[in-house]
Each structure stands twice: as structure tokens, then as C-alpha cells.
Amino acid sequence: MRSDSMKLGVEKAPHRALFKSLGLTDEELQRPIIGVVNSFNEVIPGHVHLRSIADAVKVGIRMAGGTPLEFPSIGVCDGIAMNHAGMKYSLASREHIADSVEIMAMAHPFDALVFIPNCDKVVPGMLMAAVRLNIPSIFVSGGPMMAGKFRGKKVTLTSIFEAVGAVSSGKMGMDDLAELEEEVCPGCGSCAGMFTANSMNCMTEVLGMGLPGNGTIPAVTSARIRLAKKAGQQIIELLKKDITPRQIITEKALHNALTADMALGCSTNTILHLPAIAHEAGIKLDLNLVNEISQKTPQICKLSPAGEHCIEDLHEAGGIQAVMAALARQGLLHQDALTVTGKNVGDNVQGKTILRSDVIRSFDSSYSKDGGLAVLWGNLAPEGSVVKKGAVLPEMMNHKGPARVFECEEDANNAIMGGQINPGDVVVIRYEGPKGGPGMREMLSPTSALAGRGLDSSVALVTDGRFSGVTRGASIGHVSPEAAEGGPLGLVREGDIIHIDIPNRSIEVLLNDKEIKQRRLNWQAPAAKNLTGYLARYSKMVTSASTGAILKY
């Protein structure tokens, strides 16, 4: 066993003495030592209950004959970090999480790992660590939050962000906002829509790194505790069979993840995280593959913010396994891909059916014949850009309008809230990419303000930053190369006409090549920001969004 290097032999007597100072017995030290990576904290709603999940995991490990040792991971709540300097640290935390897990698992050679993430960058960061370390690993998330209820309707985090715009335009009063604020997030769990956290927890299940149910079993249910116990037991089976992450996260598994991504209409952030996870496995995930898979995968689910249903509804409808079974029946999945069940995808989805056809539609009644995400290319995004197509109104699928240019998110948000953006405009927010931000901030506040003011049917937003999974509308992010690296977005001027053609996967600024070339000659890089600490190091090492914003070594 891997842990033998820290516990066997005469020369390891000091090591055993240190373990015994923790209260461990000789019997416990003779068993496999299983690291339990717990991202519990008292800041993030999706993580505040993870002590109970970790306790259940450890019960499962002990039931199966292992010895669990728990250690922590940091996390960032994107909702709380939104629209201030804290958001610069969200994406950057992904690499820190991966690195910190590597450090703990290499300094203390555990035999296997159980990962307990839940929100946003914690899930991909831990997946990156699992693939990098390549020792037997399994994931069990904290599960999704239940939807809130406001005057008889389900509400999610999208509702409160958009309410801010509604208040600024006089469409909602402060008393209504205060009432909604009390109801929208009713308890623990990852926020109730198909936002980034739930998207990535669902992707973990599709990839095969989480047991069936990992993506959708609600946080507050006993079923989530039982799942955690099963994960604890299953890690011992994975150890016995020497099944490791790189046997599971293969090209086939990543293809499956992108396919399910299209069917579900997940957060655009998946198009940052899946390439980064693939990179750790030595696999290049080309953005062209996104459109290739999208073109043959219909969108059969529309969850908040694109639709009225929430993750709890998806769970009632049969969950991710029902979606995968529907895709498998159409020949769209690699059914021989291995999973942490010890079985392949085909075995796992055998007999799974759709239990609510209003939540998971049939292929014949799909929302669209292609997938929920799209990569757009053109002279404004030579290396690609990403849009959550499934959350765009039909009238905005093809849009042409004048650029309204802003050098940062705050300026754009102030202009929107101040009523300075008009129907037909294309809001451009630049120098917010991975390097330029730094940290590639999510733009939920401006997109929500547009929706709240009723402009999501007439105004587009384009940025080298990114969007929260909570975002809806014609919001095109990840524009690459980013403006700070000399990308074309930095050349756009106020009033330039931008043409967005989502069906044809195109985004262009209507300038001839000569004009673009002349502007490039006159372009000057923005003044260096006075960065210190982690962000200073991050900005020097981070790569383009088109490569998953991974770090250079």
C-alpha cells in the first residue's frame, strides 16, 4: 500500500508514534489510510453542512475496513464574491485547491482519497488534483439547495440578482426585494439552478468520478448521507481493484461529459473546467469539439436560469442517470467508459427511465435540435468565445448593434444601473480576462441588471471575462485571446457595429482587415496593475481561457 512508506518498518517508529498521538491504534494503522478532503467552511451555503457528509464518508470507510484521516480545502462562494475585488480570486482558487490537495497527499501518502466538494471552483480544482495524483479517488458532493418559494413560485439565486435591476428601473419595490431576500435561498446546498456548482457536480457524475445521484440528490435529504456512506465504502473497492482517475477520466469520458453538458444546458464555466481537467490527464480538449458534439446533441433540459425547473426537479425526473440513459439510447454516449461504481456507463444506466417528461424531454420534443452551449468564432474571437445558447431568447440569436465599451465590470454595471444602455446596444467589457483581470471575473451583476431592467431581449454583452451559471441572455464570454494579451476586443471602439450570429457560431466586429491592422499598430497595453501576493503570481502564469485558463509551469 502507498501508506506503507510512512508507517512500516523500524525506521518508521517515529511516524507511528506521531499517528498514535492522534489516538490511532496499531489495528487502524494496519488498515488502508484514506484521505478525506473536506471543503467545509462557515462562509459558503453549499459547504456549511459538509461536516455531516464527511462524518458519513468516514463511517463508510470504517465499515469497509479503512482508516479515514480528514483534511481541509479552501473554497470561494462566487455569489458572495460577486461584483467586487473578491471575484478576482474565484477562478484563481481552482489552481490553489488542486495544488493544496497535491501537497497534502504527497506529504502524507494516503492509499486513496475521498473528495467532498460542492461549489464552483472547488469541484474542478479537486478533479484536477485527483487526476494529477492518480491514486484511487471518489467524489461525493454536498448536494444542491432546494429552491426558494416566493408568492407561490419557485425562486433561485437568479431571482434575487435580477431583482436588483428590477428595483433600479422601478419594476420592483424595496419591500418586495426584502421579502424575496428572505425566501430565495432557504438552506444549505449549492444554489438550486443549473449554475456552475451543480453543473460541475453533474459533470463529475457523468465523468464517472461520483456515484449515481451525486449531481442531484438534495443536500438536506437523508439520501445524501447514505450516498456519502456508500462513497466511503466504495473507495475501498476502488483501492482493492486499483482503479485510478486516469482510467476513468479518458477521452471517452470527456466526450460523454460534453454530450451531457449539451443536453442539460450547463454553465459556460464547464468549458473552462473540462479542458483544465483534461490537461491534467494529458488530453487536449479542443473547443471545436464543443460545437461538433453540440450539433448532434439536442437540449432536453432547461433548468434555472434558462427555465423554470430546478435541480430538485431534475432529481425527481430520474436525475443524471436518466439523462444519460436517454443519450445512450440514441447512441450518443461511450457506454464502455469506466466509472467509480467499478462498472461502465452502460451498466449504470441500464433500465433507467425518465420519470417527469416535463423536466427531461424526449428527443422528439427537445428544446432545440442542438446543444445548450456554443462556441463562437470570428475576427472578435479568433480563438473562440462561449455562450449559454439555451438561455438566450430567440430574438437575440442573431443580433447586430453598436458597441458600448467599458474597461471594467464596475463601469459597465454603473452604466446599466444608471439607464445609459439602450435597446440594440452591445455592451463590451474588456481587460477582465484571466491575465487582465486578473482572475477572469464572473459578470453576473451586469447581466442580471440587464435582465432585471427588461433589456435581455434587446441588449447583448461581450467580454473576455466570464459569466456565472446564474447568467442568462445573449452573454458571450471567454473571448480569446483576451484584450490584455492584444486580442481584438481591445481594439473595439465606441459605436463599432458588432454582429453576433449564434446559430452560425459567429461573432464579428464589422471592420475591414486594414482598419483592424491599423488599430493594432496603435494599440497600447494597459498600464500594469499594482498586484501583490497570489494574484501577482497568478497573472504571470495563467494562460488563455481557450485552454481552460490553466497555469504555465
Side-chain angles (χ1 to χ4, degrees), residues 28 57 75 93 107 121 125 181 185 236 243 254 290 300 306 377 407 432 450 472 484 486 500 509 536:
E28 286 174 300
V57 165
S93 74
K121 310 312 167 291
E181 186 180 315
C185 294
I236 302 299
I243 295 175
L254 289 160
V290 176
I300 56 177
W377 310 83
E407 310 300 311
E432 290 284 8
L450 287 172
R472 62 185 175 94
I500 299 163
V509 57

Side-chain angles (χ1 to χ4, degrees), residues 171-194:
K171 294 182 178 181
M172 176 182 275
M174 288 298 295
D175 290 343
D176 296 327
L177 180 69
E179 183 182 343
L180 178 61
E181 186 180 315
E182 296 285 340
E183 305 295 337
V184 72
C185 294
C188 66
S190 48
C191 296
M194 189 55 84

Side-chain angles (χ1 to χ4, degrees), residues 258-276:
L258 284 174
T259 301
D261 199 345
M262 297 305 144
L264 292 163
C266 292
S267 165
T268 53
N269 281 310
T270 59
I271 309 302
L272 274 178
H273 301 321
L274 289 175

Side-chain angles (χ1 to χ4, degrees), residues 428-452:
V428 172
I429 307 177
R430 61 192 182 192
Y431 300 112
E432 290 284 8
K435 186 176 293 292
M440 202 180 179
R441 288 193 287 178
E442 289 183 344
M443 303 292 169
L444 178 54
S445 291
T447 58
S448 297
L450 287 172

